[in-house]
Amino acid sequence: MPKINGNEIRSGFVLDHQDAVWSVVKVEHVKPGKGGAFAQVELRNLRNGSKLNERFRSADKVERVRLEQRNQQFLYADSGSAVFMDMETFDQTEFSADMLGDRMRFLQEGMTVIVEYYGEEVLDLSLPQKVPCKIAETEPVVTGQTAANSYKPAILENGIRVMVPPFVNSGETIMVNTQTLEYSERV
């Protein structure tokens, strides 16, 4: 694996540091008045989700990891896990509900996701950026309440709460951004 200097670290990189695989969440370059410059890096452990704040000087070397990404199709969910199938080899991979967290609620039959591997170890799963969801309940439209940037709460069929524009009603299907959990558009 290639080694990079501490000042070359960017958000989104995956690093092998302290015998663990970390995803770089945030990088802030700091130049104090006294002493040398450094990068203040927020890391997230891809195996257990723990966070770490670390300082890297430009002379520090760290190993950058490239993860293999494979398309997989969601097959089904049972008590506490979700099963996916590799689109090329037809191998099945099982994810625990704990590892998926809120992403489990957005899974729909036949959905294609990206699964990241470090060697043969499964590390992470990425959903499509936008997913169609049906609104289970929301407040009815009040005539005259069409001011710009006004939103009302809505509960989706998967139980997630989002804010939607006033013209969206119960029973309609909307696109939801899976990273920010925000309304994107009406389908």
Side-chain angles (χ1 to χ4, degrees):
M1 295 290 162
K3 292 219 180 230
I4 59 173
N5 292 332
N7 61 349
E8 295 174 344
I9 298 172
R10 302 284 179 261
S11 291
F13 280 16
V14 178
L15 307 175
D16 187 349
H17 179 65
Q18 296 178 352
D19 297 325
V21 182
W22 302 86
S23 173
V24 177
V25 178
K26 189 166 81 172
V27 178
E28 184 179 343
H29 293 279
V30 179
K31 173 72 173 108
K34 192 174 189 179
F38 60 89
Q40 183 70 37
V41 181
E42 184 179 326
L43 303 166
R44 183 178 60 87
N45 190 314
L46 291 176
R47 290 189 176 113
N48 61 24
S50 64
K51 295 225 174 175
L52 173 71
N53 284 311
E54 195 76 58
R55 288 183 177 182
F56 293 99
R57 302 220 176 266
S58 62
D60 294 341
K61 295 281 189 187
V62 66
E63 194 170 317
R64 183 171 178 198
V65 175
R66 300 230 190 257
L67 299 178
E68 181 184 351
Q69 297 183 337
R70 297 183 201 160
N71 286 335
Q72 296 200 0
Q73 183 179 31
F74 173 64
L75 296 178
Y76 62 91
D78 59 9
S79 60
S81 66
V83 178
F84 297 85
M85 178 183 66
D86 191 301
M87 305 285 272
E88 294 174 13
T89 64
F90 303 108
D91 292 336
Q92 292 187 4
T93 307
E94 190 171 330
F95 284 89
S96 70
D98 294 337
M99 183 178 181
L100 293 175
D102 275 343
R103 296 178 290 184
M104 183 108 170
R105 294 180 178 185
F106 285 107
L107 293 175
Q108 298 169 359
E109 192 173 318
M111 175 185 281
T112 301
V113 299
I114 297 171
V115 178
E116 295 180 328
Y117 287 85
Y118 180 58
E120 289 301 312
E121 180 184 5
V122 177
L123 287 182
D124 201 14
L125 174 137
S126 300
L127 295 174
Q129 186 172 356
K130 293 180 183 175
V131 174
C133 296
K134 195 168 189 175
I135 296 179
E137 64 180 77
T138 187
E139 299 169 1
V141 177
V142 177
T143 308
Q145 193 178 24
T146 56
N149 295 335
S150 66
Y151 283 83
K152 62 183 181 179
I155 299 174
L156 304 175
E157 283 186 338
N158 59 15
I160 293 181
R161 294 179 54 93
V162 295
M163 297 299 285
V164 297
F167 58 81
V168 176
N169 297 312
S170 295
E172 290 188 45
T173 303
I174 62 170
M175 295 297 272
V176 177
N177 185 320
T178 56
Q179 275 99 34
T180 61
L181 300 180
E182 293 177 346
Y183 166 85
S184 179
E185 60 188 302
R186 187 164 51 173
V187 178

